[in-house]
Amino acid sequence: TDLKLSFFLRSILVNHVTCALCDMVCTSVSSLKARIRFRHCNERPFHCHLCDGSFKNTYDLHKHVETHNDSDAYSCDVEGCGFTSRTLQTLRQHYKRV
């Protein structure tokens, strides 16, 4: 039984890498690099062209740029609701509450 447990633990940990900054175990070197970049670094290389905002990735930048829309680009399609939003994320949150 101890041999089986030892083999099992070794098979789990062989291809895993640990973050030296927080002891989080990642399944690959690339996921470790991503974790370090997003959780431990303050670098924000993606800049909003409409304000001074900066972000760690393009997804967050895109979500932010949506907030600069003057018009409500997204609307609830539930009959009689009338809810509108500048961002898709806010509309999705609305749908969870409806």
Side-chain angles (χ1 to χ4, degrees), residues 57-97:
N57 57 55
T58 55
Y59 178 76
D60 288 343
L61 172 61
H62 176 72
K63 286 192 311 184
H64 165 77
V65 169
E66 284 185 325
T67 67
H68 288 295
N69 291 336
D70 288 334
S71 64
D72 292 331
Y74 301 95
S75 58
C76 180
D77 59 3
V78 173
E79 189 173 332
C81 179
F83 177 83
T84 59
S85 169
R86 287 192 243 177
T87 68
L88 181 58
Q89 181 179 6
T90 304
L91 180 62
R92 286 180 178 155
Q93 290 171 347
H94 167 75
Y95 279 135
K96 288 179 182 178
R97 292 188 301 263

Side-chain angles (χ1 to χ4, degrees), residues 8-60:
F8 174 73
L9 291 175
R10 199 175 7 198
S11 67
I12 290 174
L13 298 175
V14 164
N15 294 324
H16 291 63
V17 288
T18 304
C19 177
L21 301 171
C22 67
D23 294 329
M24 173 77 175
V25 177
C26 298
T27 57
S28 67
V29 173
S30 62
S31 64
L32 175 62
K33 287 180 181 178
R35 175 168 184 77
I36 290 171
R37 186 171 66 246
F38 293 120
R39 295 287 181 216
H40 302 300
C41 293
N42 290 325
E43 182 180 345
R44 295 172 175 264
F46 302 96
H47 302 279
C48 177
H49 66 282
L50 300 169
C51 71
D52 291 332
S54 60
F55 304 88
K56 291 185 177 186
N57 57 55
T58 55
Y59 178 76
D60 288 343

